[in-house]
Amino acid sequence: MGVFVICWLPFFVVNLLSGFCIQCISNEKIVLAVVTWLGWINSSMNPVIYACWSRDFRR
């Protein structure tokens, strides 16, 4: 659960912030690309997390 929050929270915070205050984010394209990739990295980490920590998944 912690990895999910670490990976997706910046994405949602940046998207909300860009909707209310576009000047608050410098280099908006780069920041949006980085937080989007961070969310996608979470998807690639899920199989590793499940394989290491879930006993049911290992069976």
Side-chain angles (χ1 to χ4, degrees):
M1 187 70 178
V3 174
F4 176 82
V5 170
I6 289 169
C7 289
W8 282 108
L9 186 63
F11 175 79
F12 290 113
V13 169
V14 168
N15 278 321
L16 284 171
L17 192 60
S18 68
F20 290 109
C21 179
I22 197 73
Q23 292 83 16
C24 296
I25 302 171
S26 61
N27 297 327
E28 183 184 8
K29 286 186 177 186
I30 294 171
V31 171
L32 287 173
V34 168
V35 296
T36 301
W37 272 101
L38 189 59
W40 290 343
I41 288 169
N42 175 255
S43 296
S44 66
M45 292 170 68
N46 280 338
V48 174
I49 293 168
Y50 283 117
C52 290
W53 297 104
S54 176
R55 290 181 185 151
D56 295 331
F57 189 79
R58 285 185 262 170
R59 289 183 197 171

